Amino acid sequence: MVTTLAMRFRSNVGPWRLIWLFLSLFSFYYVSVCSFAKAQGKPATGDPGIANIQVDGQVPSLFSSTGTPILVNQEDSAVVTWSTTSAATSQVLLYGKSLGDCGQAGPAQLYPFHASAGLVTAHSVQVTGLSPNSVVCFRVISGDGTGQGWTLPGLTAGVYSFQTAPENATAAKRFRLNPEGPKNVYAGSDLYLGITTTLMAGQDDDWMYVNPPIITDQAHNPVPTSVIGFHYACDENLYGGVDSPTDTATDTNGNSMCWRLSYPTFLKFETQPNTPPGLYTAVISYTQTGVSSTLTWFFKVLATPRPIVRTPVHSVPPLDPTALARWQTRMVVDGAQFCIPGDFMPFGYEGYIWYYDGGRSYLQIGDYTGNKKTWFPCAENILNQFADRNIPTNIEGWRLTPHGLAEIYWRFGDLHAKTALMNMNGTPYIQAVRIRETAYGIDAAVKKAQVNHTPPDPHMLQMVDWGLGQFDELFLTTLNQLNQPFYDGIMAEALIQYYEYTAALGTPDYRIPPAIKQMMDWLWAHAVVTDPADPLYGHTMYNTLSNYGYPPNARLGAIYSNLNDLFSPAWAWYWNLTGNNTYLAQGDVLFNHALDDDASGIFDGKQFNQHYKWSFDYVHYRTSAVPVVSLTDPSNNPVDTTYVHDTTLPVLSGLQVSGITSSTATVTWNTDVNCSTWMKYGITTGYGSWAPSVNGPNDVRADMKQSHSLSLTGLLPNTVYHFIVMSRDTIGNNATSADQTLTTTR
């Protein structure tokens, strides 16, 4: 992510790129720390003058990763007090419940969630639900009750912190159950509840029994498992999509157990198509060494949604010509900047063009412009390397982007891309803040099924249930949940493509359209600047809290436009599906302003793909009077006989080692075509070092040639080194030598 200041002063001159690299490395930290303290747009007035901040009667220090925060009296709560020079509201904003969260994870909770109507000068707020022996970061918020004068001190110096008291290990055991999950589920679907435990006193010393939940309906009648079933799982065992007796351990009497309190557990409520809609109550208890803790979870079973009735579209208003022209200009100008033949993809550096599926972006640019010769090689170079990275080891869950691989397989029969795609296995996460990873898991499952012409498998259906549950948490039922709108957009795309996939099978999942509408309505009301007179009209908050209605004049979040294209296509899709012009108009606002922050140029490859990986679908949906499907659908990726997709590997020859000393050596080889020059080396076959270095964007520019030479320095004397040499051609086809060795002198 990037700061608006840096983007507006972007330059293509070298020194600015170095400055930008520095800023980008710290941008997530900056945005997280400032996201609820950066007033933007309409200025606040009437500063209430916050002073005398204390926690349990002590003066807190500003958070420092090396400092020691004050220790408060209780292990799970604290009282924060402060004064203001004028009467104002009272709220405390927590930034995390452990040292690693401070300033890193964005805002976590508000106490109280809604500011009271009473205005005072002496403020006192109790924060609860904390964990023992944990560092807690916070800010205090006071305003005049209308959105004016909101103040969060400490912006330039950081946030305040304190530490809760440790649990009493010698006292009687006491622990707390912490649930997270949705409270609405459609009949016939599953509701996933994550439950973590917090030890408040005593020892975590044995197996923990997960007792059968007691489920009752709204008339307090017991509900049989044939109406709503349940299934427990310990930790990650739930992720296969199919219930298994081994998802928990069992004792000799068949009772379900999980190991220790410190491990997360999951409880799945399994509704049936004929489960009566209504409110249900589940009483859940866990037991360890005879001590139990109980929680009550209320949830509602909803009737299955009806099919969409589309309002006929007789004419399609044109896209704003200025916005469209800007989108097209940045597409080709900045697209050319990030398309470098043979460019090496450093998969540990996420500011690069591979991140957010650059291969998909360039395939779509080639289609849109009709210039495949220029743009398809850019896609091939990225996708060939991405496929190599995903074989044999699945790439990390937040980097799963399967669309380009599927498209290049459908068009050209690229089996290497298909193998890499088949190796993608996403994992859902119960935390709504991990919605991105769940979405990417759905993406991978859908593309794999489309490539293999198979129906939805249990793992895909599980992840869809999970994703719908996360939307329910964020937009309907859970207070104080960190919400990042661009993550919502990533999930929206996954659900939309799943919907299109099921529709193609003749069984459209009608749960999806209302979930997308729910997301759009919430974001438009709470995250998007919707006042046309506002200088930030059409921009969106980076961080928000779920179900929190911000005062219209208060800006409690960093606001950008350059993430709009990660969610604006949902509006165009919904309009194309339903004919509802409200979403056409709102979507146009988001699309038209998406490049406001990047009007003079997009700085890095990650940002480029944030704009272009999905926005082609915006134009596609938005300009069609009849229902259409995503450009990444197999129906829009027929076999392409007009472009030659070359998968021939370069040929290596003449590999030699010379100039060996106690600390240096030179390795040379030849290739039959112009290629890049790379080498991995180390004292084992795990290698571990690259030549040249690939640690950052300034180290990975490939010099394409046929004669290759690399000089190694800093080697250890009298040591055997293993190495392999690698050369990629301009479209990413990679040739790798067998393992070689060299021995330095004494």
Side-chain angles (χ1 to χ4, degrees):
M1 211 48 50
V2 296
T3 64
T4 303
L5 179 62
M7 289 184 292
R8 289 173 179 168
F9 286 89
R10 177 192 179 272
S11 169
N12 289 324
V13 180
W16 281 106
R17 187 172 188 86
L18 295 176
I19 293 171
W20 179 256
L21 172 62
F22 174 81
L23 290 174
S24 65
L25 294 174
F26 292 95
S27 57
F28 180 75
Y29 174 82
Y30 172 83
V31 170
S32 296
V33 171
C34 299
S35 61
F36 266 64
K38 185 178 180 183
Q40 303 222 25
K42 299 178 180 178
T45 60
D47 186 339
I50 291 176
N52 304 319
I53 299 174
Q54 294 188 359
V55 182
D56 284 355
Q58 303 178 68
V59 177
S61 58
L62 291 169
F63 169 71
S64 167
S65 59
T66 59
T68 301
I70 62 170
L71 185 67
V72 299
N73 305 324
Q74 302 297 321
E75 72 276 1
D76 61 350
S77 66
V79 176
V80 180
T81 60
W82 68 97
S83 64
T84 52
T85 55
S86 59
T89 58
S90 309
Q91 284 179 296
V92 171
L93 177 69
L94 298 190
Y95 273 76
K97 297 180 182 177
S98 67
L99 187 63
D101 288 337
C102 291
Q104 299 293 328
Q109 289 185 314
L110 273 171
Y111 292 87
F113 189 67
H114 295 289
S116 61
L119 305 181
V120 296
T121 57
H123 306 265
S124 178
V125 172
Q126 183 177 31
V127 294
T128 58
L130 306 177
S131 298
N133 201 33
S134 296
V135 174
V136 180
C137 297
F138 73 97
R139 298 181 188 274
V140 298
I141 306 176
S142 284
D144 66 3
T146 67
Q148 301 293 331
W150 288 65
T151 302
L152 299 94
L155 172 61
T156 58
V159 294
Y160 294 97
S161 64
F162 62 87
Q163 185 166 345
T164 55
E167 67 271 14
N168 186 343
T170 62
K173 185 193 299 288
R174 179 168 55 91
F175 62 94
R176 183 181 70 214
L177 302 184
N178 311 299
E180 180 178 343
K183 295 184 179 179
N184 293 284
V185 61
Y186 287 110
S189 303
D190 295 333
L191 185 153
Y192 292 91
L193 182 65
I195 303 172
T196 58
T197 54
T198 301
L199 182 68
M200 308 304 294
Q203 299 284 339
D204 180 11
D205 54 7
D206 204 348
W207 289 92
M208 175 178 63
Y209 284 88
V210 289
N211 305 311
I214 300 172
I215 305 174
T216 56
D217 61 20
Q218 54 196 21
H220 308 294
N221 299 312
V223 176
T225 55
S226 59
V227 176
I228 300 179
F230 69 91
H231 181 75
Y232 277 111
C234 306
D235 201 16
E236 73 280 357
N237 294 340
L238 189 65
Y239 296 152
V242 178
D243 293 351
S244 169
T246 61
D247 286 345
T248 63
T250 54
D251 65 8
T252 55
N253 296 318
N255 299 312
S256 295
M257 305 182 298
C258 292
W259 178 241
R260 302 217 172 205
L261 299 173
S262 55
Y263 287 85
T265 55
F266 300 95
L267 173 57
K268 178 173 67 168
F269 295 108
E270 302 166 329
T271 72
Q272 307 301 318
N274 61 353
T275 298
L279 182 66
Y280 293 85
T281 302
V283 178
I284 303 159
S285 67
Y286 287 7
T287 303
Q288 186 186 63
T289 55
V291 177
S292 295
S293 184
T294 300
L295 70 88
T296 301
W297 193 254
F298 301 96
F299 63 96
K300 184 179 292 186
V301 175
L302 308 174
T304 303
R306 297 179 179 180
I308 293 293
V309 177
R310 188 173 191 265
T311 301
V313 176
H314 300 294
S315 63
V316 179
L319 288 165
D320 179 89
T322 302
L324 182 61
R326 183 168 66 172
W327 178 77
Q328 293 167 335
T329 298
R330 297 268 60 88
M331 173 206 310
V332 296
V333 173
D334 295 321
Q337 176 185 350
F338 304 120
C339 175
I340 302 171
D343 207 8
F344 183 88
M345 300 294 123
F347 288 103
Y349 175 68
E350 295 178 351
Y352 225 60
I353 190 61
W354 65 270
Y355 196 62
Y356 279 123
D357 210 347
R360 169 187 176 180
S361 297
Y362 281 120
L363 287 174
Q364 294 175 142
I365 295 173
D367 291 338
Y368 186 85
T369 62
N371 187 353
K372 299 178 182 179
K373 183 178 179 180
T374 296
W375 300 110
F376 277 19
C378 311
E380 292 170 303
N381 185 41
I382 296 167
L383 292 171
N384 275 325
Q385 295 186 60
F386 192 58
D388 289 345
R389 169 59 185 82
N390 209 55
I391 300 171
T393 305
N394 185 34
I395 201 165
E396 297 86 352
W398 68 93
R399 296 169 170 171
L400 281 178
T401 48
H403 301 87
L405 293 174
E407 289 178 280
I408 210 167
Y409 168 73
W410 286 320
R411 295 175 185 225
F412 307 115
D414 190 321
L415 295 178
H416 187 57
K418 180 182 179 181
T419 300
L421 175 62
M422 292 304 113
N423 199 43
M424 285 187 170
N425 296 293
T427 299
Y429 288 84
I430 195 63
Q431 301 95 339
V433 295
R434 302 290 295 276
I435 190 172
R436 172 185 59 179
E437 284 80 354
T438 305
Y440 284 162
I442 297 170
D443 283 336
V446 168
K447 290 303 163 196
K448 289 163 64 173
Q450 288 177 322
V451 162
N452 291 327
H453 306 287
T454 54
D457 63 22
H459 185 51
M460 181 198 300
L461 297 175
Q462 178 195 60
M463 288 188 289
V464 170
D465 282 346
W466 215 301
L468 290 170
Q470 289 171 329
F471 265 17
D472 181 80
E473 285 187 70
L474 291 171
F475 308 127
L476 274 183
T477 58
T478 303
L479 303 180
N480 268 331
Q481 179 67 263
L482 174 67
N483 185 12
Q484 296 177 289
F486 73 101
Y487 276 17
D488 302 338
I490 291 171
M491 175 57 77
E493 182 187 16
L495 293 176
I496 286 169
Q497 296 211 358
Y498 162 77
Y499 176 84
E500 293 177 345
Y501 157 66
T502 59
L505 296 175
T507 55
D509 191 330
Y510 293 119
R511 299 175 300 168
I512 305 304
I516 302 301
K517 181 180 184 299
Q518 184 182 85
M519 178 207 76
M520 294 185 298
D521 290 346
W522 192 92
L523 291 183
W524 190 259
H526 302 298
V528 179
V529 180
T530 57
D531 180 0
D534 195 299
L536 293 179
Y537 179 48
H539 294 217
T540 308
M541 291 185 182
Y542 176 76
N543 283 338
T544 67
L545 287 178
S546 60
N547 295 303
Y548 182 58
Y550 291 102
N553 296 322
R555 295 290 161 75
L556 300 185
I559 298 176
Y560 301 102
S561 71
N562 55 23
L563 294 171
N564 285 14
D565 286 324
L566 286 176
F567 47 83
S568 63
W571 272 258
W573 173 81
Y574 193 79
W575 169 79
N576 182 258
L577 180 74
T578 66
N580 188 325
N581 286 325
T582 296
Y583 298 94
L584 180 146
Q586 293 178 0
D588 278 357
V589 171
L590 295 170
F591 179 79
N592 293 348
H593 290 277
L595 283 159
D596 283 359
D597 288 337
D598 294 329
S600 61
I602 300 169
F603 189 79
D604 64 19
K606 174 184 176 181
Q607 269 187 266
F608 182 79
N609 292 324
Q610 287 172 177
H611 282 293
Y612 288 103
K613 84 176 187 102
W614 198 22
S615 62
F616 287 94
D617 274 352
Y618 186 91
V619 176
H620 180 57
Y621 292 128
R622 171 61 177 77
T623 56
S624 177
V626 297
V628 292
V629 295
S630 169
L631 293 171
T632 64
D633 188 83
S635 64
N636 288 318
N637 289 271
V639 174
D640 189 339
T641 59
T642 65
Y643 179 82
V644 178
H645 176 59
D646 185 5
T647 58
T648 305
L649 301 184
V651 177
L652 306 179
S653 62
L655 178 58
Q656 295 183 359
V657 182
S658 62
I660 299 176
T661 71
S662 61
S663 61
T664 64
T666 299
V667 181
T668 58
W669 71 97
N670 300 314
T671 52
D672 62 330
V673 294
N674 284 338
C675 287
S676 58
T677 304
W678 301 99
M679 179 178 174
K680 281 185 176 181
Y681 66 97
I683 59 175
T684 70
T685 54
Y687 309 111
S689 296
W690 283 86
S693 170
V694 294
N695 293 324
N698 297 321
D699 300 321
V700 297
R701 298 298 184 219
D703 182 13
M704 309 301 287
K705 53 193 175 183
Q706 289 182 261
S707 296
H708 308 272
S709 178
L710 285 173
S711 296
L712 306 181
T713 60
L715 305 179
L716 298 174
N718 194 31
T719 302
V720 176
Y721 280 88
H722 293 261
F723 70 91
I724 54 174
V725 301
M726 296 171 289
S727 286
R728 288 187 184 274
D729 63 19
T730 57
I731 59 172
N733 293 311
N734 185 56
T736 303
S737 72
D739 179 67
Q740 310 288 321
T741 61
L742 65 86
T743 304
T744 54
T745 61
R746 292 183 180 275

